Amino acid sequence: MTWTNQLSPIRFYQNAAFSHVWPFLIAMMMAMIGSNKAFLMSTTAAATATAMNTLFNSKPNVIEKKLNRASVSYEAPKRKLPVLLFDVMDTIVRDPFYQDIPAFFGMPMKELLECKHPTAWIEFEKGMIDEDELARKFFIDGREFDLEGLKDCIRSGYSYLDGMQELLQTLRDDNFEIHAFTNYPIWYKMIEDKLKLSAYLSWTFCSCNTGKRKPDPEFYLEVVEHLGVEPCDCVFIDDRPSNVKCAVEIGMRGLCFENADSLLKDLSQLGVNVSLPNI
């Protein structure tokens, strides 16, 4: 037999002397595998039985401790109050209506008020008419005008009032919940496009979406219901005393806006303390 033949399993099996031993070795190997499998299964079953016996034979307080270790307690974060409700025009953002629009039409405000339709803008603010209908109804005599030019004029007039962007940023950083509560038409989207107010507040309560305007008490009550809070949990800020008066009458805390500095002091008196240097 050569060395190659000794390494070849086929040649080794064909060796006459080994042919009687080979079946016996296979049988022994199978028996060993079977016995090991049975041993492993019996060992696993025994370990499981021991663990179950330990758990159910333990005293109740021991079981409770073991279960508590496995459980994870979770507490929902508490809502920070008060909720802050901001008017937008002439409270956060400069309103172009009083200067820019009369200049666009080339007439003083008094004349503009006399010749414009008495309810068209209000209907537009409440979402009852669209901007095309506004253009048709804007003047009592039905005169035509450049609607897109008017929109560009209004858009260019939007800007943050002094100190208000910084104040909003500070309130937002302090995790206060802030919502717009405003009388304004769908053009509020032009404000958002230019000034990005949504970085600080949610455009939640706009008259064009609700069909109601301040100081309608129903508008205020809808706000409270939507927020799911008590009126006293809200602070309402507006530049118009009549709007603030209605908020106070339904139970909100109301602040009449003058400027960012006075608002900071008024908020502090209500317990809304913010640190805003160089305002």
Side-chain angles (χ1 to χ4, degrees):
M1 182 184 303
T2 65
W3 181 252
T4 303
N5 288 339
Q6 289 179 3
L7 294 177
S8 172
I10 298 175
R11 297 281 183 160
F12 192 57
Y13 174 74
Q14 289 175 343
N15 189 294
F18 190 74
S19 61
H20 299 292
V21 179
W22 182 254
F24 176 71
L25 290 176
I26 292 176
M28 286 183 65
M29 290 171 66
M30 294 299 294
M32 290 173 65
I33 292 171
S35 63
N36 286 338
K37 183 177 180 181
F39 174 75
L40 288 172
M41 291 178 64
S42 63
T43 303
T44 302
T48 303
T50 302
M52 294 295 288
N53 184 59
T54 301
L55 177 63
F56 288 106
N57 288 330
S58 298
K59 294 180 181 180
N61 62 336
V62 175
I63 296 174
E64 185 177 351
K65 287 179 181 178
K66 291 181 179 180
L67 292 175
N68 285 339
R69 284 184 196 139
S71 64
V72 178
S73 60
Y74 173 75
E75 235 180 83
K78 292 183 179 179
R79 190 176 193 178
K80 186 167 185 175
L81 298 174
V83 176
L84 304 179
L85 302 171
F86 274 87
D87 173 51
V88 175
M89 305 313 296
D90 278 345
T91 300
I92 297 174
V93 176
R94 174 184 177 272
D95 192 344
F97 181 77
Y98 300 100
Q99 295 180 11
D100 301 10
I101 294 180
F104 174 81
F105 288 114
M107 61 180 73
M109 174 60 78
K110 183 176 183 296
E111 182 181 349
L112 177 62
L113 294 177
E114 288 173 353
C115 62
K116 80 177 187 65
H117 193 283
T119 64
W121 182 259
I122 293 174
E123 292 169 6
F124 189 38
E125 280 193 338
K126 294 174 73 172
M128 299 170 62
I129 61 174
D130 60 18
E131 63 181 33
D132 292 330
E133 182 68 15
L134 172 72
R136 287 191 291 270
K137 294 180 65 174
F138 192 84
F139 288 106
I140 296 174
D141 59 12
R143 75 185 74 170
E144 295 183 354
F145 65 92
D146 180 6
L147 177 62
E148 290 303 315
L150 175 63
K151 290 170 65 176
D152 288 340
C153 170
I154 292 173
R155 187 184 295 106
S156 66
Y158 293 141
S159 62
Y160 280 102
L161 296 181
D162 290 344
M164 285 308 297
Q165 186 173 13
E166 295 81 3
L167 178 54
L168 288 173
Q169 179 67 63
T170 302
L171 291 169
R172 190 67 171 176
D173 290 345
D174 286 344
N175 297 317
F176 280 98
E177 183 179 336
I178 311 172
H179 299 269
F181 182 13
T182 183
N183 294 344
Y184 214 65
I186 195 67
W187 289 349
Y188 78 85
K189 294 182 179 180
M190 296 196 304
I191 303 175
E192 173 61 24
D193 289 342
K194 182 175 181 181
L195 302 180
K196 304 295 187 291
L197 261 68
S198 60
Y200 314 110
L201 54 74
S202 298
W203 288 97
T204 316
F205 308 110
C206 295
S207 60
C208 62
N209 296 325
T210 64
K212 295 181 175 63
R213 296 174 75 253
K214 297 172 295 184
D216 182 352
E218 289 297 321
F219 195 4
Y220 295 75
L221 293 173
E222 281 187 12
V223 168
V224 172
E225 182 179 1
H226 178 90
L227 293 173
V229 297
E230 295 298 323
C232 61
D233 292 326
C234 298
V235 174
F236 172 68
I237 302 104
D238 198 300
D239 64 300
R240 298 199 173 198
S242 58
N243 293 341
V244 175
K245 180 174 180 289
C246 185
V248 172
E249 287 175 349
I250 69 136
M252 292 181 179
R253 290 176 282 176
L255 298 175
C256 195
F257 177 82
E258 295 179 4
N259 54 59
D261 187 46
S262 64
L263 177 58
L264 187 64
K265 295 174 183 176
D266 291 341
L267 287 171
S268 179
Q269 291 178 358
L270 294 180
V272 180
N273 296 307
V274 293
S275 176
L276 189 60
N278 302 322
I279 191 169

